[in-house]
Amino acid sequence: HVLVVDDTETNVDILVDTLGDDYEVSVAMDGESALENATAHPPDLVLLDIMMPGIDGYEVCSRLKMDGATKNIPIIFLTAMAEVADEAKGLALGAVDYITKPFMPDLVKARVKNQLQLKRFRDSLEKRNEILKENARLREDVARITRHDLKTPLNAMISIPELLVKYGNLTADQMEMLEMVEESGYRMLEIIDSSLDLYKMERGEYQLRPIP
C-alpha cells in the first residue's frame, strides 16, 4: 500500500499509472489529507511532495515520525529542488530517499521496490524480536514458578525422614535409606537455592551477603 501525496494532478496521475499495477495506491492532494489518510489507514510507504500549500512535506514528515502508529513508515520525498541542504534536511527528518521531478517511471519503481523490501525485512526482524522477548519472559516465569513450587514438596521430603529416624522403630538398613532420602532432599534444596541466586543475578536483584 503506497500513499502518494502531491498537489499537482499531473504528477499524481503519473505516479498512479507507474505504481498502480503493482501496489494499492492511495492519493492525497495536500498535507492535511495526507496526515488523515496515513493515520486512518497506515500505508507501507509514502511518496511525499515537499512544496505544497498549507502544511508542506517537511511538516508532514515530521508529524508522521512523531506518531507511534506511523513513525516506521518509510518516506520518499518528491522534489524539484536539487540543493544538498534540502536533501539533508529531509533525511534529518527521517526520510529514506529522494526522487526528483520530472519522474522517471523505472527509477520510481526501483526506489519504491527497494524501500518496501527493506521495510519487510525490518518488520520481520521486529516480529522475531518480539517473539524472542515473549519467549524469554515465559521462560523466566516458568523457571521462577518451578523454583518456588519445588520447595514445598521438598519440605516434606526433608522433614519426614528425620521424624521417622528419630521416632520410628526401624532397622539399620531402613534408617540408612531414610537418611539417604533426607540428604538428597537437602541437596535438591541447595540446587534450587543456587539456581534462584543465579536467576536474581541475571535480573540484577541479587543481594550479596558475604560470610566467612
Side-chain angles (χ1 to χ4, degrees), residues 29-119:
M29 302 292 289
D30 56 69
E32 194 69 43
S33 300
L35 291 170
E36 292 176 1
N37 193 319
T39 302
H41 306 286
D44 296 299
L45 183 141
V46 178
L47 290 172
L48 179 59
D49 187 24
I50 292 179
M51 302 304 293
M52 294 184 295
I55 303 175
D56 66 10
Y58 291 134
E59 180 64 20
V60 173
C61 179
S62 180
R63 293 193 191 184
L64 290 176
K65 293 303 176 183
M66 288 190 294
D67 187 336
T70 57
K71 67 179 182 180
N72 293 324
I73 298 174
I75 296 173
I76 299 178
F77 273 130
L78 308 173
T79 179
M81 299 182 297
E83 291 82 357
V84 175
D86 295 317
E87 183 173 346
K89 180 178 179 181
L91 295 175
L93 289 172
V96 295
D97 205 350
Y98 265 82
I99 297 177
T100 55
K101 303 174 184 178
F103 305 125
M104 296 177 60
D106 289 343
L107 179 61
V108 172
K109 286 184 177 181
R111 297 279 180 88
V112 169
K113 181 180 179 180
N114 288 342
Q115 292 303 328
L116 287 173
Q117 285 180 337
L118 289 173
K119 184 178 186 298

